[in-house]
Amino acid sequence: MNIFVLNIVFVLLFLLLGLYFVFFLLLHYLAKRRHTAALIALTSWLLHLPLFRSQLYGIRARAYGQQGDCRLAILDLDHVLEGHPHLAWAYYERGTQYASLKDHREAIEDFSEALDLHPRLVPAYYARGLVYSAVREEENALNDFGAALALNPRVTAIYFHRALLHLRSRDYKLALQDIDMLIRLQPDEASTYKYQGIFYYQLKDFEQALSCFNYALQLNPGDAATSHQRALVHMALHQLPQAQNDLSQALALDSLSLCFHYSLTALQFCLELPALNTEAMADRLEQIATLNSAPELSLLCCAIALYLRQQPEEALASLQQALVLDPNNSSIHLWLCIVYASLQHDQEARSALDIALESSLPLILFTPLQLVAPLNPGFYQQDVLPILSSLLSLPAPTTN
């Protein structure tokens, strides 16, 4: 009997000490506004209890996902599915983590499993449609977006992504219909005008895009993604100081975004040419690649650093890996052109350059093409010089 009491006392002391430790850890994280870390600490402690374990693993998985620890999130969701293999939400959540890692096939499998278990799960149709769009399976993407909207016609983001698919296939009438529906559903939402701005940016109607982003930021000045998008428009309009200001604002709002860091570094790269300090730039690229919030951009940064360190073969291998993760990324195609041309693979370089030119990538970001000149003079004269001549003919950067 005494041993039983001692065991109970020991367990209670363990729980109290654990609760005491977690309490002060929570205070520490909350004081630093690290709410996600606080949630992870709390759920990690609660998982020592035998209650609600699948729900707790799910909560911690979402928290891991929010701070970019997708692999840890997947491990937690694996635990959930081991004990409960028929939970549609767990497959859906794991699919979103695989999608964040650009593991497209695993993501599609998990979203499909979620939909087999719950055929009316609108977010799974939407998420799977996004992945299909990323791997250029447009018909499957359109089918999933259509299925999601048939179940819930008020999910505005789906209209935007479907409009982009129609834009890709040059079906402008259907694209504009989706954008109009987006505006009718949410005429006062900042996200509506952000989506509309991205649409006009893809159409290369940069003045109209700028107007949309300006209004979106009036409605929501703290949206880092909109500041980043407006920076791209400023670059396209050769308003470079404004572009730098917007990128700095985006990074002030989200300092861990590799996308924002890459855009600012790419612009600085272009502005410093031809007097670029290649070693310092390579170090900078390798530094931001460690953020790893976007695997394809991490590979792109590493590839550029390798190229600057005169390792073009290794750079090419890294770019090819990045292209598998994001075949639509125009910056990857631009740097593939540079590396292929430097290796005297002119046909592959032209193919990559054509894809980059078809995109809405701002012309200023094509400046690194001048690196090809000493390595492949023929390609430079025939294919690169006309592009750089267009860049030189632009008006001086404006500060209006």
Side-chain angles (χ1 to χ4, degrees), residues 337 345-355 378-379 382-383:
C337 167
H345 301 325
D346 289 9
Q347 184 175 348
E348 292 88 343
R350 288 190 184 98
S351 297
L353 182 57
D354 287 342
I355 295 171
F379 182 86
Q382 180 178 342
D383 297 272

Side-chain angles (χ1 to χ4, degrees), residues 3-65:
I3 294 176
F4 175 75
V5 172
L6 285 174
N7 285 336
I8 294 295
V9 170
F10 177 79
V11 170
L12 289 174
L13 283 173
F14 173 77
L15 292 175
L16 286 172
L17 286 172
L19 186 60
Y20 180 80
F21 172 76
V22 170
F23 174 74
F24 281 100
L25 191 62
L26 285 173
L27 288 179
H28 169 74
Y29 284 138
L30 291 171
K32 296 192 172 207
R33 297 182 180 272
R34 294 176 59 188
H35 303 117
T36 303
L39 182 59
I40 290 171
L42 178 60
T43 51
S44 297
W45 182 81
L46 290 173
L47 279 166
H48 290 94
L49 305 176
L51 303 172
F52 309 110
R53 293 179 65 84
S54 62
Q55 292 89 339
L56 290 169
Y57 273 122
I59 292 169
R60 191 171 70 174
R62 292 189 196 98
Y64 278 137

Side-chain angles (χ1 to χ4, degrees), residues 25 48 61 84 91-92 113 159 183 209 211 251 253 267 273 281 293 297 307 334 350 394:
L25 191 62
H48 290 94
H84 304 275
Y91 285 106
Y92 166 73
E113 188 68 36
Y159 290 104
I183 295 169
S211 176
L251 280 168
L253 293 165
L267 180 57
L273 283 170
M281 181 56 69
S293 56
L297 289 182
Y307 180 82
L334 173 64
R350 288 190 184 98
L394 289 172

Side-chain angles (χ1 to χ4, degrees), residues 34 36-37 40 60-74 96-102 254 256-258 289-295 298:
R34 294 176 59 188
T36 303
I40 290 171
R60 191 171 70 174
R62 292 189 196 98
Y64 278 137
Q66 287 172 5
Q67 67 179 25
D69 291 328
C70 300
R71 303 245 174 240
L72 291 175
I74 289 169
T96 63
Q97 302 306 323
Y98 279 126
S100 296
L101 292 170
K102 308 292 183 181
D254 184 359
L256 297 180
S257 170
L258 176 51
T290 60
L291 291 170
N292 204 30
S293 56
S298 291

